[in-house]
């Protein structure tokens, strides 16, 4: 007998028929002797509907009240799934995050998990029940309901699995695993049987939408084997086949990883570039520019500071496209006059493309091959950033798909 955590996304929970299929799948695992905890998302579209209602009332909804209502979508899901399991003869019990309790900080709409009390859950599992816990939400020390940000159910599931010391966390979604790149952009993209936590963390941070980055961080910190697999298969598919399907995210030393130099090509359309010209080249100037940006809760990604000329330099960085207007307003209001800068210009139509792979540590020439491939396609590189296992470039948005297809082919990712 193993303790397994299942997570189901909004598409998997999108209708009562699909919820019944989830119940059949969960019951199959339970019938095989496993202890099962399920963490479902809200039904597809429900969270957007709720947030839309809030914005009809208040253009900038109060974060505490927004969390109060946004958390209700998952509560509907857990109740319906519990009923669906009971209807086929299974003992099941549902809990909201605050009932478990999943303790978080008080950063409404972007809360972070601090601890999970597993006492109640373990007692139910020992009694033979299937436990269903709301994803996406928790409770702070003052008893306020909090939410973890969009995609937070993935994080909830991995955190619950880590707290319970589960054997594996299965993330069921509408794709059948992690691919070398998005199959909608590259038709011959290949599903990976395994990928390291490091690679998955880079791919999640660089634009891959399969898993929320914080869920990968949790999995890596607690060494929790996590598998991404499809919920759209027949729910009665043989258990052994299902248990070995999808993509296993694990540790490099734990398994015989594919020996490819590059594992995948990630991309992110959600980028905007801002350049502050003619700033004084002196200690603390980066903080004076980015401090107000951070205070406005705007995340900064790539950063370049040019060589100083006559005591002046140019400072370029990227932000999420949805935060571009806000970032420009912050710079105009709080930075421009304070540091006596020149002009501030921005470009919200840029994209980031990245090559990722642990094999980069032991192979040379990856950067030159990447840059040569883009040059052959006349794609101009605006910014570059690197780590041990990835190289990212910022390019004009209109060349993004061309760049992804060319790099995927250049590194031979269409074949195992």
């Amino acid at each position: 007998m193993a303790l397994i955590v299942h997570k189901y996304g909004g598409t998997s929970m999108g209708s009562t028929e699909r919820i019944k299929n989830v119940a059949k799948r969960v019951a199959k695992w339970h019938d095989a002797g496993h202890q099962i905890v399920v963490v479902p998302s809200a039904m597809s579209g429900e969270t957007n509907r709720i947030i839309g209602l809030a914005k009809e009332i208040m253009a900038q909804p109060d974060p505490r009240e927004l969390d109060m209502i946004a958390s209700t979508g998952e509560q509907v899901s857990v109740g319906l799934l519990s009923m669906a399991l009971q209807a086929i003869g299974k003992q099941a019990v549902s809990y909201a995050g605050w009932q478990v309790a999943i303790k978080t900080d008080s950063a409404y709409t972007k809360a972070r998990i601090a601890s999970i009390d597993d006492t109640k859950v373990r007692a139910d599992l020992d009694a033979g029940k299937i436990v269903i816990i709301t994803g996406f939400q928790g409770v702070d020390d003052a008893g306020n309901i909090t939410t973890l940000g969009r995609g937070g159910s993935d994080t909830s599931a991995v955190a619950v699995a880590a707290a319970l010391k589960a054997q594996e966390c299965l993330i069921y979604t509408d794709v059948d695993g992690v691919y070398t790149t998005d199959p909608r952009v590259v038709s011959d993209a290949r599903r990976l049987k395994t990928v390291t936590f490091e690679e998955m963390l880079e791919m999640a941070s660089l634009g891959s939408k399969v898993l929320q980055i914080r869920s990968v961080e949790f999995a890596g910190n607690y060494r929790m084997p996590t598998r991404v697999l499809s919920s759209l298969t027949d729910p009665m598919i043989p258990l052994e086949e299902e248990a070995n399907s999808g993509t296993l995210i694990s540790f490099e030393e734990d398994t015989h990883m594919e020996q490819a130099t590059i594992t995948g090509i990630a991309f992110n359309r959600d980028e905007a570039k801002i350049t502050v010209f003619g700033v004084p080249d002196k200690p603390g100037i980066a903080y004076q520019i980015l401090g107000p940006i951070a205070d406005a809760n705007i995340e900064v990604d790539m950063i370049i500071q040019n060589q100083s000329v006559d005591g002046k330099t140019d400072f370029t960085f990227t932000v999420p496209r949805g935060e571009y207007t806000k970032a420009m307003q912050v710079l105009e209001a709080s930075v421009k006059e304070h540091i006596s800068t020149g002009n501030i210009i921005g470009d919200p139509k840029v994209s980031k493309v990245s090559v990722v792979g642990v094999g980069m540590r032991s192979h040379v020439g990856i950067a030159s091959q990447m840059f040569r491939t883009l040059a052959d396609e006349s794609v101009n590189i605006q910014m570059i950033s690197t780590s041990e296992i990835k190289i990212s470039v910022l390019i004009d948005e209109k060349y993004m798909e061309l760049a992804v297809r060319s790099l995927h082919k250049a590194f031979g990712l269409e074949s195992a």
Side-chain angles (χ1 to χ4, degrees):
M1 179 186 291
L3 198 164
I4 306 289
V5 173
H6 285 203
K7 184 268 174 179
Y8 293 91
T11 303
S12 309
M13 300 291 294
S15 67
T16 53
E17 196 59 41
R18 287 188 175 179
I19 291 172
K20 289 176 182 178
N21 281 335
V22 168
K24 291 176 185 176
R25 192 182 302 272
V26 170
K28 176 184 69 179
W29 281 78
H30 192 257
D31 287 341
H34 298 298
Q35 292 184 319
I36 302 294
V37 176
V38 187
V39 180
S41 297
M43 298 174 74
S44 57
E46 183 64 10
T47 302
N48 286 338
R49 185 188 72 84
I50 291 169
I51 292 173
L53 291 174
K55 290 183 175 179
E56 288 180 22
I57 299 291
M58 192 178 188
Q60 295 293 328
D62 176 79
R64 180 192 180 279
E65 303 308 326
L66 191 60
D67 275 4
M68 175 66 79
I69 64 169
S71 64
T72 61
E74 279 70 21
Q75 289 173 216
V76 172
S77 288
V78 296
L80 290 174
L81 182 54
S82 182
M83 291 178 191
L85 283 161
Q86 291 173 23
I88 57 175
K90 286 293 181 182
Q91 284 186 293
V93 59
S94 65
Y95 293 113
W98 59 268
Q99 292 175 300
V100 172
I102 298 174
K103 288 293 186 71
T104 74
D105 61 20
S106 299
Y108 299 116
T109 74
K110 295 180 180 179
R112 301 188 75 87
I113 296 172
S115 64
I116 297 177
D117 184 347
D118 64 352
T119 307
K120 190 181 300 184
V121 175
R122 287 196 181 278
D124 286 330
L125 291 173
D126 290 342
K129 297 178 182 178
I130 296 169
V131 179
I132 309 160
I133 303 172
T134 52
F136 178 60
Q137 65 180 255
V139 60
D140 68 10
D141 286 339
N144 298 302
I145 292 176
T146 58
T147 68
L148 310 183
R150 300 313 295 267
S153 292
D154 287 349
T155 302
S156 300
V158 177
V160 166
L164 294 170
K165 296 181 173 57
Q167 177 175 290
E168 195 165 288
C169 181
L170 306 183
I171 307 288
Y172 287 90
T173 181
D174 54 358
V175 296
D176 62 350
V178 179
Y179 278 72
T180 50
T181 196
D182 190 334
R184 292 170 296 185
V185 174
V186 179
S187 60
D188 56 1
R190 177 174 51 86
R191 181 174 61 81
L192 299 164
K193 292 182 179 179
T194 54
V195 63
T196 69
F197 281 113
E198 277 186 289
E199 289 169 328
M200 194 65 238
L201 189 61
E202 289 283 13
M203 291 171 76
S205 69
L206 295 169
S208 173
K209 305 299 184 186
V210 176
L211 287 178
Q212 190 203 43
I213 184 171
R214 281 164 57 191
S215 69
V216 184
E217 290 173 346
F218 251 106
N221 288 342
Y222 292 94
R223 301 179 69 87
M224 173 52 56
T226 302
R227 186 179 297 273
V228 179
L229 66 170
S230 175
S231 67
L232 302 182
T233 57
D234 181 347
M236 301 315 294
I237 182 176
L239 188 72
E240 185 175 352
E241 180 182 342
E242 185 173 6
N244 290 286
S245 65
T247 300
L248 177 65
I249 305 164
S250 189
F251 288 89
E252 186 178 3
E253 62 268 26
D254 285 348
T255 186
H256 297 293
M257 301 302 295
E258 293 150 328
Q259 296 302 305
T261 307
I262 298 301
T263 298
I265 311 294
F267 60 87
N268 188 4
R269 293 183 173 91
D270 182 33
E271 295 279 339
K273 181 180 71 170
I274 297 174
T275 301
V276 185
F277 289 98
V279 301
D281 186 21
K282 62 182 183 181
I285 195 65
Y287 170 72
Q288 291 179 51
I289 295 172
L290 297 182
I293 295 292
D295 291 342
N297 204 25
I298 299 171
E299 294 181 7
V300 172
D301 184 13
M302 306 171 81
I303 303 172
I304 290 179
Q305 184 172 332
N306 293 338
Q307 178 67 37
S308 174
V309 177
D310 298 328
K312 297 284 188 179
T313 186
D314 299 334
F315 192 89
T316 303
F317 60 97
T318 62
V319 298
R321 189 172 298 177
E323 304 277 18
Y324 169 72
T325 301
K326 182 180 178 182
M328 292 292 282
Q329 291 170 345
V330 169
L331 292 172
E332 290 287 344
S334 305
V335 175
K336 191 171 184 179
E337 291 186 12
H338 181 65
I339 64 172
S340 302
T341 183
N343 198 21
I344 300 174
I345 67 167
D347 183 359
K349 295 184 178 180
V350 292
S351 294
K352 180 170 62 176
V353 176
S354 310
V355 296
V356 179
V358 292
M360 292 173 64
R361 289 190 179 122
S362 54
H363 290 76
V364 298
I366 302 302
S368 63
Q369 184 176 355
M370 180 183 190
F371 300 154
R372 182 175 64 249
T373 300
L374 295 177
D376 288 346
E377 298 291 347
S378 300
V379 177
N380 185 48
I381 298 171
Q382 301 179 21
M383 298 176 73
I384 302 169
S385 70
T386 65
S387 74
E388 264 196 315
I389 65 167
K390 66 93 173 161
I391 303 170
S392 297
V393 296
L394 196 74
I395 62 175
D396 193 299
E397 179 183 49
K398 65 185 178 182
Y399 295 118
M400 190 209 74
E401 293 194 7
L402 171 64
V404 171
R405 287 193 292 268
S406 300
L407 291 168
H408 194 272
K409 183 177 181 180
F411 287 105
L413 295 181
E414 70 280 357
S415 57

